[in-house]
Amino acid sequence: MASTLRRLANSEKCRVLQDKLDDWYKDYHINSCDSNLNMCCELLELNSKIQGQLFQILSVTAREGGQYAGVETLKSRFLPWLGTCFSASSPGSFSESSFGILNESMDRKLSPSHERELNEVESKLSSTRIELNSVQQELLETQMDLEDTKTKSANTLLATEDEILQLRAELRAAKEKLELRSLESIDDYERQIRLLKDEVSILSTENGILKSRVSRSRSPSPIRHSSRASSPFARSESPTSAKLTNSSRQARLISRFNDIFANDRLDAQTLLRRYVEDLEMVQRIIFIATVESFHAAKMAFRQFRLRVRKSLSPSHMGPESLEDAVIDYIVRNLDLYDVQSSVNEVINTMNVNPKISFPPDVDFILISGFIREVCRVAFAMQTLDPPLDIAFSVDGELFTESKYRRTYDSEHTAPLVYYHVWPALVENDDVIVKGEAVTKRGALWNSVRSRSRSSSPLRSRSVSPGRNLTSRSRSPSPRRSGTPRF
């Protein structure tokens, strides 16, 4: 029993009950109705636990006193308290003043001043919440602005670095270009000086020969005609005639290229129309023949230049460079070009071209004369400085006014090339002579459909109307009247 009393005395329940009652009294005017009821129920539950322990101690104490011990106390104190439903106060419980204060505080209503203070506190609380929300919103906006500023600063820094790198690259390229131009100008000056010296020496030689002729003409001699015939300058040419006549040869070749477009192309077109009714296919055949002729002539020129360089390099000792001597030799010996090999190569390439639809009983040898003239002009154009070439072209490319002319039957609002009629002549990517092309809408789809329609197996090598021209094509044909020799 003593241990039970010790535990009850040392337990915190009584002190907690008192503390909770004091807290409830302090906060009663502020708490809501539900909060006050919950607090009251909590106090009752805690009080019931303490009373249960007291009833247990009461029972044990009565049992220890014997059968009749404590009867008078129970009759005089405990039973009347139970009869009045806990209305009487017992020793050790709360004082009557405490219960009075509690009852008074529970029964008392909030005064108007307390209500006003509560309203003010609530209004301040709501205004504080609004201010807090606005501050939070401003903080979010500030953070977003800070992120945007960081992003813009990073982008600006990257753009500045890119601009600096680009300016450095442009400056480096400009310096290299300037150095290259200065070197080229120096080379040009040296070349011009060398050419002028050669020309002066040639003129001096001519002057000496003329003076000797004048002196021999004044004194008759029986070997007059023989000396004139054996003159070393009768058929000699300048060792740098290729350089001295570069501009004139370029003009003649451009004129011949235009003449082929205006005359030879139309003759070949008229000849092909006898066997192919589709004008578009005829124009495609002529254009492909022109392109392949340039390719074959350029390949033949490279091989021919290699052979000439290999032949001249052991014995070359002139004031001019070996490359100038090679070009000069090729210019003076264009007849050594095996044009028939290039013609055969072009015809073999056209026989396997999938873009061309041609009757199997007709051979491309019909237009071998046209191919031969284009190969000769293309071969001679490679000896120029810089050389002339045709522009790269592909069906469906974007039409360029500076590069092509439209045909009369083209759609002038179409932006793409349907097919090409004649290639453009260029010099270092600069257009010298415009080409001709047909523009139509839907050029890409039409070109794909025409290629799928025109694809056919290889042509048979049976006897064809063009086979009668084989012997004539392999023998040197007479040149056209008025066609210059290059």
Side-chain angles (χ1 to χ4, degrees):
M1 183 59 199
S3 61
T4 304
L5 286 173
R6 188 183 302 111
R7 285 197 302 269
L8 182 61
N10 294 331
S11 70
E12 299 290 331
K13 293 181 180 180
C14 295
R15 187 165 53 255
V16 170
L17 179 63
Q18 183 65 34
D19 294 336
K20 286 184 178 291
L21 187 61
D22 294 335
D23 295 336
W24 185 25
Y25 173 74
K26 293 177 181 179
D27 299 333
Y28 179 80
H29 302 288
I30 301 175
N31 293 338
S32 61
C33 180
D34 292 334
S35 300
N36 290 327
L37 291 177
N38 289 329
M39 182 62 71
C40 183
C41 292
E42 185 177 357
L43 293 174
L44 289 174
E45 290 175 358
L46 188 60
N47 188 29
S48 65
K49 291 180 181 179
I50 297 173
Q51 286 182 355
Q53 293 180 1
L54 291 174
F55 275 108
Q56 184 179 1
I57 294 173
L58 178 65
S59 176
V60 174
T61 304
R63 194 182 302 114
E64 290 178 352
Q67 184 175 4
Y68 299 104
V71 174
E72 294 296 329
T73 303
L74 293 174
K75 288 181 179 180
S76 60
R77 297 288 301 271
F78 186 71
L79 292 178
W81 179 71
L82 290 177
T84 57
C85 296
F86 305 97
S87 59
S89 61
S90 60
S93 62
F94 294 108
S95 62
E96 293 180 358
S97 61
S98 299
F99 281 108
I101 293 172
L102 179 61
N103 292 330
E104 183 182 359
S105 64
M106 291 177 62
D107 294 337
R108 188 177 57 186
K109 294 183 180 179
L110 293 175
S111 62
S113 62
H114 291 164
E115 292 180 356
R116 186 168 53 254
E117 291 177 358
L118 182 61
N119 293 331
E120 291 178 358
V121 170
E122 289 180 352
S123 62
K124 289 181 179 179
L125 180 61
S126 61
S127 61
T128 305
R129 288 177 180 176
I130 294 174
E131 292 178 358
L132 179 61
N133 293 331
S134 63
V135 170
Q136 290 178 351
Q137 185 67 25
E138 291 178 358
L139 180 61
L140 292 176
E141 293 178 355
T142 305
Q143 289 179 352
M144 294 176 63
D145 294 339
L146 181 60
E147 294 295 333
D148 293 339
T149 304
K150 289 182 178 179
T151 305
K152 292 180 181 179
S153 301
N155 295 333
T156 305
L157 182 60
L158 291 176
T160 305
E161 291 179 354
D162 293 339
E163 291 178 357
I164 292 174
L165 293 176
Q166 184 177 2
L167 291 175
R168 288 180 179 176
E170 292 178 355
L171 180 60
R172 191 182 305 110
K175 289 182 179 179
E176 293 178 356
K177 191 174 182 180
L178 182 61
E179 292 176 356
L180 183 60
R181 285 184 178 179
S182 61
L183 293 176
E184 290 179 353
S185 61
I186 293 173
D187 294 339
D188 291 338
Y189 292 151
E190 292 179 353
R191 190 180 299 109
Q192 291 178 4
I193 292 172
R194 187 170 59 252
L195 294 178
L196 291 175
K197 288 181 179 179
D198 293 339
E199 194 171 357
V200 169
S201 63
I202 292 169
L203 293 176
S204 301
T205 306
E206 291 180 358
N207 189 16
I209 294 172
L210 291 176
K211 287 181 178 179
S212 62
R213 286 182 180 178
V214 170
S215 61
R216 284 196 298 270
S217 63
R218 291 179 179 178
S219 58
S221 174
I223 58 172
R224 176 180 176 181
H225 299 285
S226 60
S227 64
R228 182 179 299 176
S230 61
S231 173
F233 194 73
R235 294 176 59 95
S236 64
E237 297 182 1
S238 170
T240 57
S241 60
K243 294 295 181 180
L244 293 175
T245 60
N246 184 76
S247 59
S248 61
R249 287 190 301 108
Q250 181 182 11
R252 290 167 60 189
L253 288 172
I254 293 175
S255 176
R256 180 58 188 144
F257 183 78
N258 293 329
D259 183 63
I260 291 175
F261 169 73
N263 299 320
D264 298 45
R265 180 185 66 88
L266 296 179
D267 295 341
Q269 180 174 315
T270 303
L271 184 60
L272 289 175
R273 287 299 297 273
R274 298 177 186 177
Y275 306 98
V276 182
E277 296 181 357
D278 189 6
L279 178 60
E280 174 187 339
M281 184 53 61
V282 170
Q283 291 178 343
R284 286 181 181 271
I285 290 172
I286 294 176
F287 177 78
I288 292 175
T290 305
V291 174
E292 294 298 337
S293 299
F294 265 84
H295 291 172
K298 288 191 292 184
M299 186 62 66
F301 176 79
R302 295 191 188 100
Q303 297 174 358
F304 189 56
R305 183 174 58 183
L306 290 176
R307 292 196 301 269
V308 173
R309 185 185 292 111
K310 186 176 181 180
S311 300
L312 295 181
S313 58
S315 59
H316 177 69
M317 296 180 61
E320 59 184 353
S321 62
L322 177 61
E323 190 64 27
D324 292 339
V326 170
I327 297 298
D328 184 74
Y329 179 85
I330 296 175
V331 170
R332 287 184 290 150
N333 297 276
L334 291 176
D335 292 337
L336 298 179
Y337 167 45
D338 188 6
V339 66
Q340 187 58 41
S341 298
S342 298
V343 173
N344 295 335
E345 182 180 350
V346 171
I347 292 176
N348 293 334
T349 305
M350 294 177 65
N351 283 330
V352 296
N353 195 312
K355 294 184 180 180
I356 300 176
S357 178
F358 201 67
D361 55 342
V362 181
D363 201 337
F364 287 118
I365 203 170
L366 287 171
I367 57 173
S368 61
F370 170 78
I371 296 174
R372 182 180 293 104
E373 292 301 322
V374 177
C375 287
R376 286 176 177 172
V377 173
F379 186 87
M381 285 181 176
Q382 306 310 307
T383 63
L384 299 175
D385 184 22
L388 299 180
D389 197 1
I390 56 175
F392 175 76
S393 58
V394 62
D395 291 345
E397 67 174 321
L398 185 65
F399 179 80
T400 307
E401 292 287 349
S402 61
K403 189 175 179 182
Y404 297 106
R405 296 185 301 270
R406 284 188 172 93
T407 57
Y408 69 93
D409 56 345
S410 298
E411 296 180 4
H412 291 274
T413 57
L416 301 180
V417 174
Y418 180 39
Y419 68 91
H420 299 80
V421 177
W422 191 250
L425 192 65
V426 296
E427 179 186 20
N428 291 336
D429 296 334
D430 295 330
V431 178
I432 303 300
V433 178
K434 287 186 179 182
E436 190 167 315
V438 178
T439 57
K440 287 185 180 180
R441 293 194 176 275
L444 289 176
W445 170 247
N446 291 331
S447 61
V448 171
R449 185 172 56 186
S450 63
R451 283 199 298 269
S452 62
R453 185 175 61 250
S454 63
S455 58
S456 59
L458 298 180
R459 301 168 186 84
S460 61
R461 295 298 180 177
S462 60
V463 179
S464 63
R467 288 300 180 185
N468 298 328
L469 302 176
T470 305
S471 60
R472 288 195 302 238
S473 64
R474 294 186 180 277
S475 62
S477 61
R479 299 181 60 84
R480 296 176 181 267
S481 60
T483 302
R485 293 180 63 85
F486 304 108

